[in-house]
Amino acid sequence: MININIFYNIRKNMPQFLKMLFPKFLKKKIKKKLFPYYYQVTDYEKLPKYNYINNNNIRLQENLIEKFKVDNKQNSITSCPHLINLLLMKYKPDEKFSFLDIGGEYIDFFLVLKKNFKNVEYYVFNLESINKDCEKLKDKYNYMNLNVIQDEKSIFKNNYDFVNFGSCIQYFENYENFLLNITRVANQIFFSGTILYDSHNENHKKHIIVKQLNVYPSINYLYFFNKFYFYKFFYEKNFDLLFECKNLTDNVNFKNFNGIFESVEYKDFSFIKKNPQKFVSEGF
């Protein structure tokens, strides 16, 4: 069996001038052939302290605003292109509700959300650098319903009708404690682009930590979650599974996990609280 680490180490250590010699189409073919896997197993017990890095900037955000003015749609990358449609099945266009976007990154999602739901109260929490950019955009463009949460503790001072985890919970070192607090303040919780596996191996009872390779030269580390344990957590907090489906935004190759898990999948799923209350939000 070929050790895939060899190929990834060669790519990592290849001088930049050699990389520049390959035409773009050839790079894509080489990447698809030699680097087909997005994730690699590690023996880590904790996520590295300095992990996910923000590569975006406020100029990119302002470009998205300008594009939205032209075509009135979301142009940024998203792990759930049909999220607005899901919300339209639940809320009327003039209905008041609070929406917490954990890991919310791109301003044009907020703009699309406001276009479809004029009375939504939007909250966003992300890395400090992204939060600062959101604050600047709020001041510059007078986005009154854009509430930027600057620290984790402040998240749990409010109640939310809908909480969106846009493919980000897997990067939270303290995900269990974070989710415990979220279940106390949320009616519905939606996860997109999250990797769940089935396994009876005691070493994989809750989660494993993997290295993310598909965003090279950046290297991230994240959790894969045991589906049974992850769902059980919400059932015990008085939540029901509303739906689950395969996430179709990317065709992730999990063949290098054959023999490690019984099954593994890139999924969207949502939990709803039994007997939910309607929260009236006043914003910040």
Side-chain angles (χ1 to χ4, degrees):
M1 181 177 179
I2 297 174
N3 186 345
I4 65 171
N5 288 323
I6 295 174
F7 294 114
Y8 286 98
N9 287 332
I10 290 173
R11 181 173 69 172
K12 180 180 179 181
N13 296 310
M14 182 181 292
Q16 186 64 30
F17 78 90
L18 284 180
K19 295 177 185 178
M20 297 297 290
L21 294 177
F22 293 99
K24 184 176 263 187
F25 79 93
L26 187 56
K27 287 181 182 178
K28 288 183 178 180
K29 286 188 176 182
I30 293 173
K31 180 179 179 182
K32 187 175 182 180
K33 187 70 176 177
L34 296 182
F35 310 104
Y37 304 119
Y38 282 20
Y39 306 102
Q40 183 180 356
V41 176
T42 75
D43 57 1
Y44 289 6
E45 295 184 358
K46 290 185 177 181
L47 294 179
K49 186 174 182 181
Y50 300 101
N51 191 19
Y52 193 91
I53 298 174
N54 170 36
N55 292 316
N56 297 323
N57 56 57
I58 195 165
R59 184 57 194 155
L60 181 148
Q61 300 281 30
E62 291 182 327
N63 286 339
L64 291 174
I65 292 172
E66 294 305 313
K67 287 181 180 180
F68 182 82
K69 290 178 180 178
V70 174
D71 56 27
N72 214 28
K73 68 177 185 179
Q74 183 176 358
N75 291 283
S76 59
I77 298 171
T78 174
S79 59
C80 185
H82 56 277
L83 179 53
I84 294 296
N85 290 332
L86 289 175
L87 293 169
L88 285 168
M89 295 171 64
K90 183 176 179 65
Y91 300 107
K92 297 177 182 178
D94 60 349
E95 190 171 351
K96 292 183 178 180
F97 67 97
S98 52
F99 183 101
L100 171 61
D101 200 3
I102 302 293
E105 188 168 0
Y106 298 111
I107 192 66
D108 57 346
F109 173 74
F110 165 73
L111 297 176
V112 171
L113 188 67
K114 285 295 294 180
K115 182 186 78 170
N116 287 275
F117 304 99
K118 63 180 181 180
N119 293 317
V120 65
E121 195 69 36
Y122 178 81
Y123 298 82
V124 63
F125 174 77
N126 207 318
L127 300 174
E128 182 180 358
S129 58
I130 297 175
N131 290 340
K132 287 182 178 179
D133 285 347
C134 287
E135 282 286 6
K136 292 176 182 177
L137 294 171
K138 176 179 181 177
D139 293 339
K140 181 175 181 178
Y141 295 94
N142 197 30
Y143 293 147
M144 299 303 295
N145 296 105
L146 173 58
N147 302 290
V148 184
I149 303 177
Q150 298 291 355
D151 62 273
E152 187 174 315
K153 289 184 179 180
S154 296
I155 295 172
F156 311 114
K157 295 178 181 179
N158 295 293
N159 295 311
Y160 308 97
D161 295 299
F162 194 100
V163 176
N164 176 51
F165 284 92
S167 193
C168 67
I169 190 61
Q170 57 266 37
Y171 299 102
F172 282 57
E173 169 60 38
N174 62 336
Y175 76 89
E176 289 180 282
N177 186 60
F178 192 92
L179 290 176
L180 176 62
N181 288 319
I182 281 292
T183 60
R184 293 167 177 165
V185 298
N187 277 337
Q188 183 172 345
I189 305 172
F190 175 66
F191 299 88
S192 64
T194 304
I195 297 171
L196 302 176
Y197 63 82
D198 292 308
S199 175
H200 291 91
N201 187 326
E202 191 65 23
N203 293 328
H204 306 149
K205 182 179 179 181
K206 292 167 55 175
H207 58 245
I208 67 164
I209 293 175
V210 300
K211 179 192 289 188
Q212 185 175 5
L213 305 168
N214 65 308
V215 290
Y216 181 85
S218 296
I219 297 293
N220 300 324
Y221 294 85
L222 62 142
Y223 289 111
F224 284 9
F225 300 110
N226 186 308
K227 179 180 176 179
F228 176 82
Y229 177 84
F230 201 84
Y231 280 19
K232 182 172 177 283
F233 176 89
F234 287 96
Y235 296 149
E236 292 177 347
K237 302 300 181 294
N238 205 34
F239 279 76
D240 287 326
L241 179 66
L242 185 62
F243 72 87
E244 64 175 349
C245 61
K246 182 178 180 179
N247 184 293
L248 300 176
T249 60
D250 206 344
N251 186 24
V252 182
N253 186 342
F254 291 115
K255 287 184 179 179
N256 56 321
F257 290 91
N258 291 346
I260 299 176
F261 304 132
E262 294 162 27
S263 65
V264 56
E265 197 167 18
Y266 192 55
K267 297 184 73 71
D268 297 342
F269 49 95
S270 184
F271 293 92
I272 189 166
K273 183 175 289 182
K274 297 177 181 177
N275 303 314
Q277 297 177 339
K278 182 64 179 178
F279 298 129
V280 179
S281 173
E282 299 297 333
F284 280 175

